[in-house]
Amino acid sequence: MRNALGSVDTVLLLGGRSEIGLAIVERLVRDGARRVVLAARGAAGGTPPVIGDAEVHLVDFDAARPETHGEVIETAAKLVGDLDVVIPAFGVLGSQAAYDADPVAAAEAVAVNYGGHVSAGLSAARRLREQGHGTLVVLSSVAGVRVRRANFVYGSAKAGLDGFAQGLGDALHGSGARVMVVRPGFVVGRMTEGMSPAPLSSTPGEVADAVIAGLRSGAETVWVPGRLRWVFAVTRLLPRAIWRRMPR
């Protein structure tokens, strides 16, 4: 439950080693969050990291095992009580060339990047709806706003995730719980190491700052950086013959 000053008190990060996710958690703790659950594969039994003055718990979470996601959400709630913010921050990028060569690997990546979020998102939404409050922060991507041939397996999964998140937000309307969709552009970090940054790139910290601002304002959609909203308002309208000639 939010504290007397309206600040977030409890946070669940699904994908507890995510650079972006941890950056968001650190800022929430700085702003007053006091109980944190980091959920990651093989996390249980480890030593919790120090995140400010927060009480930090570790639980196991495997994005590729949707049958376990509901239990993970309930375990987190038993540890810290009502969940104010839930952040699914897991996924794999991969390369289109690798997916072209190995369609099974492509299907497995989509199962995590989309299917895992559907399972985790619905499980989290059920808990937030029962509580009557809380925010699910969905880390989408501009890659899903209009899918490029250079990464269409990854982009198509993000497109599905973005649509799912919007629909889930509509389904939660009036329940006290809500969904905030975050659409970063290229993020310079571990996942994109070795890749040439795209125009209007950001860092995990900049994404986290935008998420915190969105939580404070009650935003439904957050673009990072904000100028990408207008860039994609235009690119959505480009004829397909032009779009397919965009640089890889």
Side-chain angles (χ1 to χ4, degrees):
M1 183 69 69
R2 288 176 181 262
N3 64 28
L5 299 177
S7 298
V8 168
D9 186 54
T10 60
V11 187
L12 168 60
L13 175 61
L14 298 170
R17 299 184 181 94
S18 160
E19 280 184 286
I20 294 174
L22 286 170
I24 297 170
V25 170
E26 288 167 359
R27 284 155 175 76
L28 288 171
V29 168
R30 185 193 308 161
D31 285 352
R34 288 295 170 260
R35 290 169 291 169
V36 173
V37 178
L38 302 180
R41 188 160 47 191
T47 302
V50 176
I51 306 178
D53 296 327
E55 166 192 314
V56 181
H57 301 271
L58 301 179
V59 300
D60 280 330
F61 171 75
D62 189 339
R65 296 186 60 203
E67 71 277 8
T68 67
H69 294 176
E71 182 180 352
V72 172
I73 301 292
E74 293 309 309
T75 296
K78 288 176 183 177
L79 287 169
V80 299
D82 283 1
L83 303 173
D84 293 329
V85 175
V86 179
I87 311 162
F90 54 87
V92 292
L93 179 57
S95 73
Q96 187 58 49
Y99 294 146
D100 288 342
D102 188 351
V104 173
E108 290 171 346
V110 170
V112 169
N113 290 342
Y114 178 60
H117 280 272
V118 169
S119 175
L122 289 173
S123 296
R126 180 173 58 197
R127 162 55 56 180
L128 301 185
R129 186 184 286 111
E130 290 174 356
Q131 296 174 178
H133 72 97
T135 302
L136 178 67
V137 177
V138 176
L139 298 177
S140 181
S141 170
V142 298
V145 176
R146 186 162 188 184
V147 178
R148 297 170 58 237
R149 63 173 183 155
N151 65 348
F152 65 83
V153 169
Y154 176 79
S156 64
K158 285 295 189 180
L161 173 59
D162 200 282
F164 165 77
Q166 292 180 65
L168 182 58
D170 291 341
L172 287 174
H173 183 72
S175 70
R178 71 186 190 94
V179 174
M180 186 172 77
V181 182
V182 184
R183 295 175 181 154
F186 188 101
V187 180
V188 180
R190 285 197 307 264
M191 182 178 281
T192 57
E193 188 174 357
M195 299 173 64
S196 298
L200 298 179
S201 296
S202 59
T203 65
E206 289 169 337
V207 176
D209 289 339
V211 168
I212 298 303
L215 288 171
R216 288 173 177 163
S217 68
E220 291 185 335
T221 308
V222 174
W223 297 75
V224 191
R227 286 175 289 170
L228 284 174
R229 177 192 301 271
W230 312 116
V231 171
F232 277 85
V234 174
T235 58
R236 280 171 165 163
L237 301 177
L238 286 176
R240 197 169 174 190
I242 295 176
W243 181 250
R244 67 167 59 102
R245 292 202 298 269
M246 296 291 285
R248 287 177 173 270

